[in-house]
Amino acid sequence: MRRSLPLLTVLLFGYAFLYGPILSLIIYSFNESRLVTVWGGWSTKWYGELLQNEQILAAAWLSIKIAFISASLAVVLGVMASMALIKFKRFKGRTSLRLMLAAPLVMPEVIIGLSLLLLFVSMEEVFGWPEGRGQTTIILAHMTFATAYVTVVVTSRLAHFDFSLEEAAMDLGAKPIKVFFTITLPLIAPALLAGWLLAFTLSLDDLVVASFVSGPGATTLPMVVYSSVRLGVSPEINALATIIVLLVSVAVLIAGIVMFRQEKQRQRELN
């Protein structure tokens, strides 16, 4: 009991340090006063104001659309890169490919954003595409660094994949494309889902890279929140953050329930 008390104290302090600010943000989203630091009573009017804020709603929809497209493209490229690295052990350019995939993981976002901006400007001068900076350039930028994260997740799954299953299917007459979609893809589906969710989250949360490659007509939600916070925290931002926390909590709860049911089903099958 004496040993567990200090551990429990440290655990509670850690949880309070991590989740205390989030809890205070949720509480102040129901604040009647416009001043965030002054409590004026309970009210839900800022949620109504948020739903009428066209700038935030448009930025949220744009961020979700960009995150969905960039995450989907990153999964396709990540699977291709992972298959090349795992199935083909030796080929020219393998080391360069690994270095290019590892670079976005360790490179500062400022460097990534600046380099992509210079690339897009040069491409526009030479090829005339992409024309200006906007949604397309943000998707390409997010897809670039998200592919590296997806590749890491999928590669870790393929490293323990039994490729004899593919060989057996091809020996029975199945074509490689059919083997991939009927055998390989279902078995690595959890890794694909994890990589997609990670890429979606990174794109939805990105501020630095998007600030470099975006234009006047494409403002993502993190950019709107950052510009609003610079002028002072608005209760509408607290309401927006509360909704995001609620959605993430529901998603985590659903994932936990599904995993718990799958684990119980596996135990029943083993018994």
Side-chain angles (χ1 to χ4, degrees):
M1 183 65 181
R2 292 180 180 179
R3 292 182 179 180
S4 62
L5 184 59
L7 295 177
L8 181 61
T9 303
V10 173
L11 181 63
L12 293 177
F13 177 78
Y15 276 113
F17 181 79
L18 291 174
Y19 298 104
I22 298 177
L23 181 61
S24 64
L25 181 146
I26 295 174
I27 294 175
Y28 275 97
S29 69
F30 296 96
N31 187 11
E32 173 72 23
S33 175
R34 179 172 291 274
L35 299 176
V36 179
T37 57
V38 178
W39 182 257
W42 295 94
S43 176
T44 59
K45 71 174 185 178
W46 299 114
Y47 289 89
E49 295 287 339
L50 175 64
L51 296 178
Q52 296 177 358
N53 192 323
E54 296 182 358
Q55 182 184 17
I56 293 180
L57 294 179
W61 170 244
L62 179 64
S63 295
I64 293 174
K65 183 166 61 174
I66 290 174
F68 182 85
I69 297 175
S70 61
S72 301
L73 295 176
V75 167
V76 175
L77 295 177
V79 171
M80 295 172 62
S82 301
M83 296 291 288
L85 292 173
I86 297 298
K87 297 192 69 173
F88 306 100
K89 298 296 183 181
R90 295 181 180 179
F91 61 91
K92 292 183 179 180
R94 187 176 190 272
T95 303
S96 300
L97 178 60
R98 293 182 66 90
L99 290 176
M100 286 190 294
L101 291 172
L105 301 176
V106 297
M107 191 175 297
E109 291 185 343
V110 175
I111 305 300
I112 296 176
L114 180 59
S115 61
L116 288 173
L117 173 61
L118 296 176
L119 174 64
F120 293 147
V121 171
S122 301
M123 289 176 60
E124 184 179 5
E125 293 179 355
V126 177
F127 305 106
W129 183 88
E131 186 176 355
R133 259 69 64 198
Q135 178 179 326
T136 302
T137 54
I138 298 176
I139 291 174
L140 293 175
H142 287 182
M143 179 188 66
T144 300
F145 67 78
T147 300
Y149 291 90
V150 174
T151 304
V152 171
V153 176
V154 178
T155 301
S156 62
R157 175 66 183 91
L158 288 176
H160 303 282
F161 186 80
D162 187 6
F163 288 99
S164 62
L165 298 174
E166 293 185 344
E167 296 174 359
M170 287 187 287
D171 289 340
L172 295 174
K175 295 182 179 180
I177 188 68
K178 185 176 182 180
V179 171
F180 176 77
F181 282 103
T182 58
I183 296 178
T184 308
L185 193 61
L187 292 176
I188 65 173
L192 299 184
L193 179 60
W196 189 91
L197 291 174
L198 179 60
F200 183 87
T201 303
L202 291 172
S203 175
L204 193 65
D205 183 60
D206 176 68
L207 171 64
V208 179
V209 176
S211 299
F212 278 95
V213 299
S214 64
T219 304
T220 61
L221 183 60
M223 296 171 63
V224 172
V225 172
Y226 178 72
S227 61
S228 301
V229 170
R230 290 180 63 185
L231 302 176
V233 181
S234 171
E236 293 181 15
I237 302 301
N238 289 343
L240 174 64
T242 302
I243 293 175
I244 294 176
V245 170
L246 178 62
L247 294 176
V248 172
S249 301
V250 171
V252 171
L253 180 62
I254 294 174
I257 294 174
V258 172
M259 292 177 63
F260 178 74
R261 290 181 176 178
Q262 289 179 349
E263 187 65 26
K264 288 189 66 176
Q265 185 176 0
R266 290 177 184 175
Q267 292 179 357
R268 291 176 182 174
E269 292 176 354
L270 293 175
N271 295 331

